[in-house]
């Protein structure tokens, strides 16, 4: 039985606490009375993953077994997630490979030979052959037709999908025109990303998913992983600080020294090469809704911690990785998206910080971009944000131009670039937080980068608290969301 999550109140005995800041970590002393939200301990794995996959395919939820939905001569399309999840990428064999191989074995036994695999990238960048091979495995990559989605495939006889409920098809296999109804500022401002009943975006996914289900047989497979994102040599990053042993302390000091001495390119390469020793905690298959209900229940058991009320200031450190910079660079727009779009929304019921409160996050926010992966991000940052940071104004004045720009479309389809409109969606992802907060302060952030986005930069955490006093006073209540491993607040 895993330990539940906990909320620690900092007192005189509390040691300095670990904070992520891009490709570095450090220990930070927090003021007395600060609430620290820790996730539950990692859930145990299912043991025999292949057996769990077989059971899910044979005993699905609200659906006949997979083999009863296959017949000789049919057309089978298997859609799967791209490299944006899980984070960090998992050690081989990837669970997508194991699910796909199990489906292909059943299809071959029945005589299905018209099979296509599609990476459901939506407007993400196309995966490279090496990245595709890491996801689906050498055997599948070599034998089967594996492509990146562009655009929505027509006349599918069948879909097997593992991703996130009804988001899988209306988003993962969609074009820009199909994404517009829910990837916009108005919908995002009325959405709680981790609380579907309170999310206008999820309601839109549900409606669109129902339309798809009326025309295409969708058999969903979803898997969950536990909360062990870091390998053994970085295992102290998975622990609560007062449980560190002498070896953990030594590894922390070694990491700090290696980070300080390594050239930037070497440090970046080492962090990006991290592969997580995840355990698979669940495999569910069948109709989309009952499958996703079980997926969410497992995720909540792994990540949810009860928190009593909101605070004046929310604090978190941002790590080196988000869904959109795998094998790439965390540019300033992605820092904003990770902080205000993802970490701010790690709650159910209501945000961890009150309306009009302040956000303090740790990240260096370098003015740096990957020219191949994020070409439209460069122009968005240097041209659009130079004129306005207001999401609604950005949407109305600039989105259509970037979404239809022929050069961006060419790079998206033929290179490995995110779609031209993608930086807009990343900015919209933070729209709810921007309307909720009075202040965003980045400790250690590049001043020019932060100013371009409308944020303030502080040299130290104490400086950030002084700056926040303008909006929350000199004795605010503080909550530190201790991520990663991922934690989510059930805010009462």
């Amino acid at each position: 039985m895993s330990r539940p999550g906990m909320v620690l109140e900092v007192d005189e005995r509390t040691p300095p606490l670990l904070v992520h800041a891009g490709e570095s970590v450090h220990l930070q002393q927090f003021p007395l009375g600060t609430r620290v939200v820790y996730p539950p301990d990692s859930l145990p794995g299912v043991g025999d993953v292949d057996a769990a996959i077989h059971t899910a395919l044979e005993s699905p939820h609200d659906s006949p077994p997979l083999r009863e939905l296959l017949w000789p001569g049919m057309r089978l399309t298997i859609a799967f997630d791209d490299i944006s999840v899980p984070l960090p990428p998992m050690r081989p064999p990837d669970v997508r490979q194991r699910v796909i191989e199990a489906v292909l074995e059943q299809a071959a036994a029945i005589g299905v030979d018209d099979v296509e695999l599609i990476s459901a990238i939506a407007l993400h960048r196309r995966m490279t052959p090496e990245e595709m091979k890491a996801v689906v495995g050498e055997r599948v990559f070599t034998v089967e037709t594996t492509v990146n989605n562009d655009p929505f495939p027509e006349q599918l006889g069948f879909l097997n999908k593992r991703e996130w409920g009804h988001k899988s098809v209306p988003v993962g296999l969609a074009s820009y025109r199909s994404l517009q109804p829910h990837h916009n500022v108005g919908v995002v401002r009325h959405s709680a990303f981790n609380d579907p009943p309170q999310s206008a975006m999820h309601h839109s996914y549900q409606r669109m998913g129902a339309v798809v289900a009326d025309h295409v047989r969708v058999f969903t497979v979803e898997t969950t992983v536990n909360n062990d994102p870091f390998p053994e040599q970085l295992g102290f990053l998975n622990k609560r600080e007062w449980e560190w042993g002498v070896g953990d302390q030594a590894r922390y000091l070694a990491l700090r020294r290696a980070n300080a001495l390594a050239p930037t390119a070497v440090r970046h390469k080492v962090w990006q090469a991290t592969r997580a020793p995840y355990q698979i905690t669940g495999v569910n298959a069948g109709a989309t809704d009952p499958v996703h209900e079980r997926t969410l229940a497992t995720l909540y058991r792994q990540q949810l911690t009860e928190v009593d009320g909101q605070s004046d200031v929310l604090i978190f450190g941002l790590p080196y990785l988000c869904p959109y910079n795998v094998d790439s660079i965390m540019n300033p727009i992605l820092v904003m998206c990770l902080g205000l779009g993802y970490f701010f929304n790690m709650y159910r019921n209501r945000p961890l910080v009150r309306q009009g409160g302040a956000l303090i996050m740790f990240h260096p926010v370098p003015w740096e971009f990957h020219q191949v992966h994020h070409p439209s991000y460069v122009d968005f940052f240097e041209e659009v944000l130079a004129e306005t940071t207001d999401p609604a104004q950005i949407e109305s004045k600039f989105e259509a131009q970037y979404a239809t720009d022929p050069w961006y479309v060419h790079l998206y389809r033929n290179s490995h670039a995110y779609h031209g409109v993608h930086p807009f969606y990343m900015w919209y992802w933070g729209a709810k937080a921007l309307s909720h907060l009075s202040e965003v302060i980045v400790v250690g952030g590049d001043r020019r980068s932060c100013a371009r986005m409308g944020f303030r930069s502080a040299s130290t955490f104490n400086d950030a608290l002084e700056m926040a006093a303008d909006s929350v006073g000199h004795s605010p209540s503080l909550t530190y969301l201790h991520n990663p491993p991922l934690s989510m607040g059930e805010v009462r």
Side-chain angles (χ1 to χ4, degrees), residues 425-443:
Y425 291 167
M426 299 301 94
W427 199 257
Y428 302 165
W429 243 233
K432 183 173 184 176
L434 286 175
S435 64
H436 186 87
L437 299 164
S438 64
E439 186 86 73
V440 178
I441 303 167
V442 187
V443 179

Side-chain angles (χ1 to χ4, degrees), residues 447-468:
R447 293 186 183 279
R448 291 176 58 242
S449 296
C450 292
R452 175 58 57 91
M453 296 188 290
F455 306 155
R456 291 207 281 174
S457 174
S459 299
T460 67
F461 178 57
N462 287 336
D463 288 346
L465 290 176
E466 283 296 319
M467 295 163 68

